[in-house]
């Protein structure tokens, strides 16, 4: 039955119409050639989560955080960040067992807070997955260059860097995106096996690093465990640990991608909570062990100024016997190459899972009519949304080839934190509005857990720089434009309406975002200095003025149409 005639949908006129749980559960139970193939079990889901979580954060962020903010107490930062992730993970797990449909936080918001909020969070997730895949693919290219240099092969800089980094195009970054996309197009079963193999290799290298490095730990490297604060907020001491938690929190991002595979899971009500929570637990343990060994074999000051894989290389260089002159002969020189290989393979799984999550969010939004039907077409042979995968393969590969990693990387986390915040809020709402809906898993200690999740995520967002907020506001404005011009007119819940209740809210929201564009632009310029480059300030003002005019025109046109 076509969605717009399905009585299971709960009609609440306006842009805050909600999709009923009955409709979502019916959608989850659909079978046939035009549906996603259910091939994933709990082990595959855990591997999926571990595959996307363990990435650049473990191999690079740890050194920077230890040297600049926490010292050896980086392990405490990981614990605090893990607790924050756990709050959000518990909320995700309840929704994943209650609404086992592809779309992650977008679908959960649609069922609890209405269409407009669902669009905002769905568009936000698209940003998260796009910039994450772009950033990791660029980083993958850099590690490939380093690895090949160790083998005596030098790739031309012009073909391994974007124009802003002194090159022409980053071909390796583009190639890895294309390869991972082709694997996804072939089917989730094959990509799941590939991901599982990568995760096994990646975890094996981490465990080898911990096992071999443990006997070289020097107790004096942990003294003082919490270095004294320098007098500036966030530089060591308690505030340093908290700032470190905000930074290493980014290393946990990605477990929400597990929930996007709900419709490809054999028993989602049971397996989705397992996949989310166990993958978080596994990664937390690995992160703490890795950071403990790294700061134990070398003093935290040794990691100052290191970039990329340098912190790991420094740690490996200290795993050996020291002679009378204080020179250390590394006992495991081969381990550095093994770590680089682990990063290369590990980044493949991160890219693949983020591309999977991106296409599944678009699939859900398209089925609801908020995006063109192109994105929800399932290939009858491979049972995957190949059209959507192909489009994102083109978009992400072009971004990876021509955009600097810094620009893409700054946007990765804020979108996820916003998604976490809304999912935690949605649990509070759904416990009041839908208390009788069956849940295979229930978030414990409500309202404490979701409230703490909200506060934790908002706190993390406050630590992010102003230019990140500018790009988020601009992205939200573009998304609101698409919804105002297409989504609201093609919604499957309230089709064929020139105006819908809530249009005023939509237009006012556009004006609010336009004002925020000015505020964040001024905030950023104040932070970097008025003598610094003003490109972002100009862009934010242009967006603000054009969108003020557009949404004021919509308000005027709406008032005129209603007489």
């Amino acid at each position: 039955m076509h969605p717009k005639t399905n009585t299971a949908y709960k009609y609440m006129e306006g842009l805050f119409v909600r999709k009923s749980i009955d409709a979502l559960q019916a959608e989850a139970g659909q079978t046939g050639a035009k549906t996603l193939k259910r091939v994933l079990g709990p082990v595959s889901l855990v591997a999926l989560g571990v595959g996307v979580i363990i990435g650049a954060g473990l191999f690079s962020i740890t050194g920077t955080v230890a040297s600049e903010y926490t010292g050896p107490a980086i392990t405490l930062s990981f614990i605090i960040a893990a607790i924050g992730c756990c709050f959000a993970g518990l909320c995700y797990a309840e929704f994943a067992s209650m609404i086992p449909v592809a779309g992650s936080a977008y679908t959960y918001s649609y069922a609890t807070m209405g269409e407009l909020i669902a669009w905002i969070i769905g568009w936000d997730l698209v940003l998260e997955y796009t910039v994450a895949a772009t950033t990791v693919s660029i980083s993958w290219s850099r590690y490939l260059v380093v690895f090949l240099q160790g083998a005596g092969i030098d790739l031309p800089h012009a073909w391994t860097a974007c124009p802003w980094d002194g090159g022409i195009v980053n071909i390796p970054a583009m190639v890895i995106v294309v390869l991972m996309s082709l694997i996804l197009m072939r089917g989730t079963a094959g990509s799941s096996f590939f991901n599982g193999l990568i995760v096994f290799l990646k975890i094996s290298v981490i465990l080898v690093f911990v096992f071999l490095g443990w006997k070289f730990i020097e107790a004096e490297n942990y003294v003082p465990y919490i270095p004294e604060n320098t007098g500036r907020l966030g530089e060591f001491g308690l505030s340093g640990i908290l700032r470190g938690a905000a930074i290493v929190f980014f290393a946990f991002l990605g477990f929400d991608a597990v929930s996007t595979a709900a419709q490809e899971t054999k028993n989602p009500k049971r397996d989705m909570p397992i996949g989310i929570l166990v993958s978080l637990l596994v990664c937390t343990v690995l992160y703490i062990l890795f950071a403990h060994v790294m700061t134990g074999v070398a003093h935290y000051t040794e990691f100052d100024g290191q970039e990329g894989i340098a912190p790991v290389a420094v740690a490996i260089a200290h795993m050996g016997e020291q002679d009378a002159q204080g020179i250390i002969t590394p006992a495991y020189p081969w381990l550095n190459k093994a770590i680089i290989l682990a990063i290369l393979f590990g980044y493949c799984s991160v890219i693949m899972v983020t591309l999977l999550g991106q296409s599944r969010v678009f699939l859900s939004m398209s089925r609801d009519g908020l995006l063109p039907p192109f994105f929800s077409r399932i290939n009858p042979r491979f049972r995957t949304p190949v059209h959507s995968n192909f489009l994102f393969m083109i978009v992400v590969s072009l971004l990876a080839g021509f955009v600097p990693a810094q620009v893409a990387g700054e946007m990765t986390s804020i979108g996820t934190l916003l998604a976490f915040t809304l999912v935690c809020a949605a649990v509070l709402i759904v416990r009041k509005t839908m208390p009788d809906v069956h849940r295979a898993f229930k978030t414990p200690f409500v309202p404490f857990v979701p409230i703490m999740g909200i506060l934790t995520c908002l706190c993390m967002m406050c630590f992010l720089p102003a230019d990140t907020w500018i790009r988020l506001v601009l992205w939200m404005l573009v998304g609101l434009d698409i919804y105002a011009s297409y989504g609201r007119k093609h919604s499957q819940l309230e089709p064929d309406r020139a105006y819908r209740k809530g249009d005023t809210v939509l237009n006012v929201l556009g004006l609010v975002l336009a004002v925020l564009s000015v505020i964040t632009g001024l905030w950023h310029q104040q932070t970097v200095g008025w003598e610094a480059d003003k490109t972002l300030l100009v862009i934010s003002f242009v967006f603000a003025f054009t969108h003020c005019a557009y949404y004021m025109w919509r308000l005027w046109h709406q008032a005129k149409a209603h007489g």
Side-chain angles (χ1 to χ4, degrees):
M1 184 177 291
H2 196 277
K4 66 177 68 176
T5 60
N6 191 338
T7 57
Y9 282 80
K10 183 176 182 180
Y11 280 85
M12 295 171 53
E13 288 189 347
L15 301 185
F16 293 95
V17 61
R18 294 184 303 182
K19 203 172 183 180
S20 76
I21 298 296
D22 291 340
L24 290 167
Q25 291 178 342
E27 182 180 331
Q30 292 177 354
T31 58
K34 294 184 178 181
T35 61
L36 299 172
K37 192 173 182 180
R38 297 189 179 277
V39 295
L40 302 178
V43 176
S44 299
L45 288 173
V46 171
L48 196 71
V50 173
V52 72
I53 295 171
I54 295 181
L58 184 62
F59 300 113
S60 60
I61 291 178
T62 47
T64 302
V65 172
S67 64
E68 297 183 7
Y69 307 116
T70 67
I74 185 176
T75 50
L76 299 180
S77 294
F78 272 121
I79 293 172
I80 293 172
I83 292 173
C85 282
C86 185
F87 289 139
L90 289 169
C91 295
Y92 263 96
E94 175 166 334
F95 278 114
S97 68
M98 178 177 152
I99 312 174
V101 180
S104 184
Y106 159 76
T107 302
Y108 309 154
S109 300
Y110 212 153
T112 56
M113 293 182 283
E115 183 176 286
L116 179 57
I117 303 299
W119 169 266
I120 291 172
I121 196 61
W123 189 247
D124 174 67
L125 287 173
V126 172
L127 170 67
E128 171 197 342
Y129 292 132
T130 299
V131 295
T134 301
T135 304
V136 176
S137 60
I138 295 172
S139 186
W140 185 91
S141 173
R142 292 177 179 174
Y143 282 120
L144 178 67
V145 170
V146 172
F147 180 77
L148 292 179
Q149 284 177 343
I153 302 174
D154 291 318
L155 296 179
H157 181 73
W159 307 113
T160 57
C162 72
W164 283 270
D165 291 332
I168 298 176
V169 59
N170 194 333
I171 292 179
M174 299 179 72
V175 169
I176 192 62
V177 171
V178 171
L179 288 177
M180 294 301 101
S181 297
L182 292 176
I183 291 176
L184 282 175
M185 291 180 194
R186 291 285 300 177
T188 305
S191 59
S192 174
F193 173 78
F194 177 74
N195 178 70
L197 179 62
I198 289 176
V199 170
F200 173 78
L201 293 173
K202 184 162 48 176
I203 291 179
S204 296
V205 172
I206 293 171
L207 292 178
V208 168
F209 174 84
V210 171
F211 177 77
L212 295 180
W214 198 273
K215 65 179 180 179
F216 294 104
I217 290 177
E218 299 289 343
E220 56 267 25
N221 287 332
Y222 295 127
V223 180
Y225 191 71
I226 304 178
E228 185 177 354
N229 184 265
T230 61
R232 300 182 61 181
L233 183 68
E235 293 185 4
F236 305 108
L238 178 59
S239 65
I241 293 174
L242 293 175
R243 174 166 290 183
I247 296 173
V248 300
F249 181 87
F250 308 154
F252 287 93
L253 303 183
F255 72 83
D256 57 316
V258 176
S259 62
T260 65
Q263 284 181 266
E264 292 151 284
T265 304
K266 298 175 183 177
N267 187 356
K269 290 188 175 182
R270 182 200 68 185
D271 296 344
M272 292 304 295
I274 294 175
I276 292 172
L277 298 177
V278 174
S279 62
L280 263 179
L281 176 62
V282 170
C283 292
T284 299
V285 173
L286 290 176
Y287 278 20
I288 292 173
L289 289 174
F290 197 91
H292 180 74
V293 171
M294 196 177 72
T295 54
V297 298
H299 196 265
Y300 71 90
T301 55
E302 297 283 341
F303 303 107
D304 184 41
Q306 302 296 333
E307 296 179 356
I309 61 171
V312 178
V314 169
I316 294 173
H318 283 73
M319 294 181 188
E321 299 298 330
Q322 185 172 337
D323 60 20
Q325 287 74 36
I327 299 175
I328 299 175
T329 302
Y332 312 109
W334 54 268
L335 190 56
N336 196 32
K337 292 183 179 179
I339 291 292
I340 297 177
L341 272 178
I343 293 172
L344 288 171
F345 281 113
Y347 277 10
C348 289
S349 64
V350 176
I351 295 168
M352 186 176 65
V353 176
T354 51
L355 290 171
L356 180 146
Q358 189 179 55
S359 63
R360 272 37 173 192
V361 171
F362 256 53
L363 171 70
S364 293
M365 297 173 77
S366 176
R367 282 178 172 174
D368 293 330
L370 305 184
L371 288 171
F374 171 85
F375 296 105
S376 57
R377 292 175 185 166
I378 303 297
N379 182 279
R381 178 184 177 186
F382 300 124
R383 304 277 290 277
T384 58
V386 293
H387 298 94
S388 182
N389 286 135
F390 181 79
L391 177 64
F392 285 122
M393 178 184 75
I394 299 299
V395 172
V396 176
S397 63
L398 288 175
L399 290 174
F402 295 98
V403 174
Q406 181 180 357
V407 173
E410 289 175 349
M411 291 303 301
T412 303
S413 301
I414 194 166
T416 309
L417 288 167
L418 180 57
F420 289 0
T421 301
L422 290 178
V423 169
C424 291
V427 167
L428 294 174
I429 295 173
V430 81
R431 287 293 183 93
K432 294 291 185 181
T433 59
M434 306 172 189
D436 299 325
V437 176
H438 174 69
R439 299 158 169 82
F441 176 87
K442 294 185 71 173
T443 303
F445 307 114
V446 174
F448 174 77
V449 168
I451 289 176
M452 288 302 298
I454 293 171
L455 294 177
T456 302
C457 293
L458 290 177
C459 180
M460 300 289 182
M461 292 175 72
C462 290
F463 274 92
L464 295 173
D467 59 337
T468 304
W469 284 89
I470 293 177
R471 294 187 179 97
L472 176 65
V473 171
L474 299 186
W475 178 260
M476 289 294 109
L477 275 171
V478 172
L480 204 65
D481 294 344
I482 295 174
Y483 179 72
S485 60
Y486 182 90
R488 58 177 287 282
K489 298 178 182 178
H490 296 83
S491 170
Q492 298 286 4
L493 299 193
E494 284 193 318
D496 306 323
R497 289 176 180 266
Y499 289 99
R500 295 169 58 187
K501 293 180 180 179
D503 270 353
T504 301
V505 176
L506 172 65
N507 296 328
V508 170
L509 179 60
L511 292 174
V512 170
L513 286 174
V515 173
L516 285 176
S517 179
V518 173
I519 294 173
T520 53
L522 293 173
W523 174 29
H524 166 68
Q525 202 62 44
Q526 177 66 32
T527 301
V528 299
W530 292 98
E531 301 300 322
D533 181 73
K534 296 181 174 62
T535 302
L536 279 178
L537 179 65
V538 172
I539 293 175
S540 64
F541 269 70
V542 170
F543 262 73
F545 293 141
T546 55
H547 282 83
C548 273
Y550 174 63
Y551 285 102
M552 287 181 70
W553 174 84
R554 282 179 55 87
L555 283 171
W556 173 81
H557 191 65
Q558 179 183 350
K560 183 179 178 181
H562 284 79

